[in-house]
Amino acid sequence: MLLPISYSNSSEKYEQTPIKWEGARDSVMTIMFNHFGGGPYPSDEDPISEFDVHEKIRLAQAVRATAGISRLMQEAAQSKFKDHLELIKRWFGVDPEDSDFADIIKYVVKRVNRMHRVLSDNTKQIRFIDTRNQRRVNFKTKYKKIMSFNSENEWCVHGEKAVVSGEWIQSISKHAYVFQQGPYFRDKFSTRHVGSGYRVYIGPKALEVRYRESKICKMLYHEMSHKILGTEDTTEDGETVYGKSACQNVAKVDPFQALLIADCWAYFFMGFYDLNIFSD
C-alpha cells in the first residue's frame, strides 16, 4: 500500500516546512527541491526553490507511487515474470520460445532489482531542479596560442592556454532530463551516475495540470533508468526512440537494443502501473 503524504497548507510558512510522511520513510528516496543551479542543502528542500507547494506535493506523491510500483515489479521478478510475459514480449521483444529468452529475463530481473534498490533507499536523494523559465550556461573551452620571442628575436609559439567562455541558452528539455557520465567511465551495461546526485531537471511541460500522476511516474522511471541503468534515448545507429510505436518496433527488431532504451523500460514500468490501478 502506498503511504499518503501531508503538507502544511499555510502559504506563509510552507517554504520552511519539509514534507511530512505519514508513516515510515524507509521505503522511498529522500526527496529534495532546488532552484536551478542550487547546490547541496542540509534541509529537505531549498527555501528558494521555484516549485510551489502543490507542485512539490505532486512530485513527492509521484516518487512514492513510482517506488510502490517498483516494489511490485521486484515481486514479479522473483518468479521471472511468469505472469507478465506479455509485457516482456511487448517491450523487450522475446517470449519463452526464443533461444535468448533466459538471458534476457535474467538481465531484466537484475535491472529491475537495481532500480528498486535505489528508488526505495532513503539514504539516497532524488533532487528536483526547477529549470522552467530559466537559462543555463553552455561553457565552451578554446585554446589560444601563447606567442613569445625566441633567441633570434622571432615570434614563436610558446604554448597554449585554455580560455573558457559561456553563452546563455534555454533549458535543454521541455519535460525533464538528467546528466550522465560519458562512455569513458563505464561500459554500456553498467550503472552510470554523476557525482552530483540523482538530480532530475524539470522543464516547463513536466508539471502541466493536464498531466496525471501516471505521466509523471513514467517520466521519473524513464529519467532514473538513465541514471541507474545507463539507458539511452537513441539506438546504436542514432535513431531516437520515444513513444509506444518506436519502442515496440525496436523490441521486435533487436531485443538487446530495446534493453538499453529508456522509454522501453518506462513503458514496461507503466504496464505494472496500469495493472495496479485497474486491479483496485
Side-chain angles (χ1 to χ4, degrees):
M1 178 179 179
L2 303 183
L3 298 177
I5 63 171
S6 62
Y7 203 100
S8 169
N9 290 323
S10 171
S11 59
E12 297 180 357
K13 63 179 182 179
Y14 84 83
E15 289 290 7
Q16 287 75 40
T17 305
I19 289 174
K20 302 296 185 183
W21 299 103
E22 296 178 357
R25 290 192 61 180
D26 61 352
S27 60
V28 67
M29 299 178 78
T30 299
I31 303 166
M32 296 186 174
F33 302 94
N34 281 151
H35 68 294
F36 186 71
Y41 289 84
S43 62
D44 273 8
E45 57 184 310
D46 171 10
I48 60 174
S49 166
E50 299 298 330
F51 296 112
D52 66 33
V53 60
H54 302 293
E55 292 168 339
K56 291 177 180 178
I57 290 175
R58 290 184 71 195
L59 286 169
Q61 288 175 330
V63 173
R64 170 68 68 177
T66 301
I69 301 301
S70 177
R71 175 176 52 80
L72 298 179
M73 296 171 70
Q74 186 188 47
E75 293 173 357
Q78 294 175 5
S79 63
K80 298 183 178 179
F81 302 102
K82 67 181 181 67
D83 296 325
H84 304 87
L85 295 180
E86 189 275 334
L87 293 176
I88 293 289
K89 182 176 182 178
R90 182 183 303 173
W91 304 116
F92 301 124
V94 292
D95 55 41
E97 288 74 33
D98 294 336
S99 59
D100 50 10
F101 176 78
D103 290 336
I104 288 182
I105 285 293
K106 183 178 180 180
Y107 184 92
V108 174
V109 167
K110 184 176 181 180
R111 269 59 189 174
V112 164
N113 288 336
R114 180 183 290 177
M115 286 286 287
H116 186 67
R117 281 197 301 271
V118 175
L119 291 170
S120 61
D121 186 352
N122 74 336
T123 67
K124 299 186 184 301
Q125 301 172 0
I126 181 169
R127 190 181 293 273
F128 293 105
I129 314 297
D130 189 356
T131 67
R132 299 167 301 176
N133 301 316
Q134 301 291 328
R135 295 175 179 268
R136 68 186 181 91
V137 178
N138 180 35
F139 288 104
K140 297 180 179 180
T141 302
K142 297 181 179 179
Y143 295 91
K144 289 189 175 182
K145 295 179 180 180
I146 300 175
M147 306 296 289
S148 63
F149 287 105
N150 60 17
S151 59
E152 298 179 358
N153 206 31
E154 295 176 340
W155 284 104
C156 65
V157 178
H158 181 71
E160 291 183 331
K161 68 175 180 179
V163 179
V164 180
S165 60
E167 58 181 12
W168 292 98
I169 61 177
Q170 290 289 348
S171 174
I172 61 178
S173 175
K174 293 181 179 180
H175 297 278
Y177 61 95
V178 295
F179 289 113
Q180 300 164 293
Q181 290 180 334
Y184 176 80
F185 297 98
R186 46 92 198 173
D187 62 61
K188 65 180 181 180
F189 291 104
S190 67
T191 301
R192 62 180 188 171
H193 170 227
V194 295
S196 61
Y198 293 93
R199 295 185 173 211
V200 179
Y201 293 79
I202 301 298
K205 289 186 174 294
L207 294 176
E208 289 185 347
V209 176
R210 63 190 179 92
Y211 287 167
R212 299 178 181 178
E213 177 189 84
S214 60
K215 193 173 185 70
I216 300 176
C217 289
K218 176 181 177 292
M219 176 268 290
L220 285 176
Y221 206 83
H222 175 116
E223 300 302 336
M224 291 300 286
S225 78
H226 283 314
K227 289 291 224 179
I228 301 167
L229 305 182
T231 57
E232 303 282 357
D233 291 324
T234 58
T235 65
E236 293 180 348
D237 297 330
E239 177 186 356
T240 301
V241 184
Y242 288 119
K244 291 183 177 179
S245 297
C247 288
Q248 289 174 342
N249 289 338
V250 170
K252 290 177 183 178
V253 174
D254 189 346
F256 287 98
Q257 183 71 66
L259 291 168
L260 302 177
I261 298 298
D263 238 19
C264 288
W265 281 97
Y267 281 112
F268 181 60
F269 163 85
M270 286 305 299
F272 287 88
Y273 185 100
D274 293 339
L275 287 172
N276 182 61
I277 295 299
F278 295 133
S279 65
D280 292 341

